[in-house]
Amino acid sequence: MSVATKTVTAPPSFSRVGVLWASTVGKKALMALTGILLSLFVLGHLLGNLQLYFGRDSTGAYLINKYAEFLHHNKPLLYGTRTVLLVAVLIHVIAAFQLQLGKGAARPVEYHQKESVNSTVSSRYMFWTGVVIFFFVIYHLLQLTLGVVNVPGFREGDVFHNVTVGLRTGVAPLFYVVGMIGLGLHLRHGLYSTFQSLGAGNPAVSQWALKWAAVVATVIALVNLSFPLAVLAGLVKG
Amino acid sequence: MKLTLDIWRQKGASDAGRFETYTVEANEHMSFLEMLDVLNQELIGSGKEPVAFDSDCREGICGMCGFVVNGVPHGPVDNTTICQTHMRHFHDGERLRLEPWRAAAFPVLKDLVVDRSAFDRIIQAGGFISVRTGSAVDSNAMLVEKNKSDRAMTNAACIGCGACVASCPNAAAALFTGAKIAHLGLLPQGQPERTDRALNMVAQMGKEGFGHCTTIGECEANCPAHIKLEAIAQMNGDFLRAVFAKREESAGGGAG
Ligand code: HEM
Ligand code: FES
């Protein structure tokens, strides 16, 4: 009896993360997931900031300062959250850059004439509104987290003072207005596109997402804008 | 009716190409391609090189034709191929600019003709589906949910013309690949290879150098076969599920 032998070569192993990152589809899914995470942060950040409008409690301390103290109290939570956000931003931004480069390579010769039949400012300029957000965030951190620009007499922990002084100093109003228009446009398309990127394409769901993304993005942008506008108008002051 | 045409002329892949201007006398009963036939007869008559453009069925079903007219793939009539567009949609004295599909993955071969074999390679990467050969299966033996069969048929209507790529600001082939993945992935016959099909077709789409989908929806608006953006979500979902569901081939499975 003969025994047939067969050399079995193991197929190349399949790296799930590698396959995701190597494809435009996987990269967009990662952008969608990190985008959701960042959007949740934006929402939480906005809700927390609303306390700017609620003044002081019975002990005379500004609510927003007490809230900031509470957030800074738990160091592991604070640094954990910051790390997660930083990693999310890195993934989101690196993927955005790579896809943007790929898009350029995919059409090396431009059309001499090209009409848009079905697009919005928000959907066409996702990359550029992203860049606006990026520079806004850097400015925002330099200003109100580190206190190195546009906050005369920055006081660590006195958020109420820093905000009411900072938001009307120098170029700050410009940064906030442009930044929030950028954020609103980014979210208007991003929150809708996320569903598509993650595979939820049922037309009923897409129509719903298209509508609510616009509503949520507008509300987020307007409420965020209300802070610098209220400070400029002198409605909240120290 | 008299028309002025600015047509992209390019001798071959290595030629830089340029627009050249022609005038042509047409009537509104002609199809767009018949109007170009008239122009070409005149060019041939005067010893000039005719304008190269692709066409085959001229019935809107084969997907051979296609170029950009005044910035819109397949011209101004919604969801219609250029071969099925008639001159009555234009008016006397109009000036039209004719340009080939522009994408790295669709190199210009000549004038308005581009090489779309990248699409063929994406289809090939999808591989086969397992069907039993032999005597015909009883037609009702395999039940298909009505909704799914409708969606599969909608996606199967893709004629592979490339207008989705041409219209996409990112030159993405997501609508095409999505339609191909969705039409098989929705049917019971497409299940055994569903995982590998999604992985391989998406990988090939990347290798061919198409861009990424940003859900802008130009493709859907320009598609002559009415393929919907939902096809892209189906591709995304199938691909993501496949990435996590993929198992290494094992030697097991019993004697056989
Ligand atoms: C507050 C920060 C941010 C939030 C909440 C956010 C949110 C989102 C969301 C939800 C998406 C949708 C993902 C998808 O289409 O599947 C998205 C897409 C995108 N984001 Fe952001 N993003 C932020 C910051 C940035 C930054 C800093 C950049 C830097 C360049 C950027 C660039 C992009 C691009 C290019 C896309 C589109 C991906 C595409 O469709 O091509 N984003 N973002
Ligand atoms: S020539 Fe066949 S679809 Fe236009």
Side-chain angles (χ1 to χ4, degrees), chain B residues 187-239:
Chain B
L187 295 174
Q189 293 88 341
Q191 297 316 306
E193 294 83 18
R194 187 170 174 180
T195 300
D196 283 340
R197 182 167 49 246
L199 290 172
N200 294 336
M201 291 182 88
V202 167
Q204 191 65 33
M205 179 174 83
K207 272 189 216 149
E208 298 293 346
F210 291 106
H212 65 299
C213 174
T214 51
T215 327
I216 289 177
E218 290 287 339
C219 53
E220 178 183 66
N222 278 287
C223 175
H226 302 262
I227 308 295
K228 298 289 169 211
L229 277 187
E230 185 183 5
I232 300 177
Q234 171 97 28
M235 166 180 74
N236 294 342
D238 269 24
F239 175 80

Side-chain angles (χ1 to χ4, degrees), chain A residues 11-14 16 19-20 23-26 28-29 99-100 102-103 105-119 123-124 189 192-193 196-203, chain B residues 8 19 68 70-72 97 99-104 165-171 199 202 209-218 221 229-230 232-233 236-237 239-240 243-244 246 248:
Chain A
S13 79
F14 179 87
R16 271 151 243 267
V19 171
L20 269 190
S23 71
T24 57
V25 174
K28 275 303 301 281
L99 291 174
Q100 184 73 6
K103 156 188 175 163
R107 179 164 293 138
V109 181
E110 270 301 329
Y111 286 104
H112 289 75
Q113 182 183 355
K114 181 69 173 51
E115 304 301 327
S116 294
V117 183
N118 188 29
S119 57
S123 69
R124 290 186 81 89
H189 184 68
Y192 152 68
S193 178
Q196 182 83 4
S197 300
L198 294 178
N202 186 332
Chain B
W8 184 258
F19 282 101
V68 175
N70 282 356
V72 183
R97 185 193 285 276
E99 208 173 347
W101 291 169
R102 300 258 183 225
V165 175
S167 63
C168 176
N170 315 320
L199 290 172
V202 167
F210 291 106
H212 65 299
C213 174
T214 51
T215 327
I216 289 177
E218 290 287 339
L229 277 187
E230 185 183 5
I232 300 177
N236 294 342
F239 175 80
L240 295 173
V243 168
F244 294 103
K246 171 81 179 168
E248 307 295 348

Side-chain angles (χ1 to χ4, degrees), chain B residues 55-65 81 83 159:
Chain B
S55 76
D56 190 3
C57 70
R58 299 202 174 193
E59 291 181 352
I61 53 175
C62 76
M64 265 313 270
C65 66
T81 55
C83 63
I159 56 178

Side-chain angles (χ1 to χ4, degrees), chain B residues 147-194:
Chain B
N147 210 297
K148 285 193 173 165
S149 91
D150 287 349
R151 279 159 62 206
M153 292 309 279
T154 302
N155 285 300
C158 168
I159 56 178
C161 66
C164 45
V165 175
S167 63
C168 176
N170 315 320
L175 196 70
F176 167 79
T177 313
K180 300 301 169 195
I181 286 180
H183 99 251
L184 292 173
L186 284 162
L187 295 174
Q189 293 88 341
Q191 297 316 306
E193 294 83 18
R194 187 170 174 180

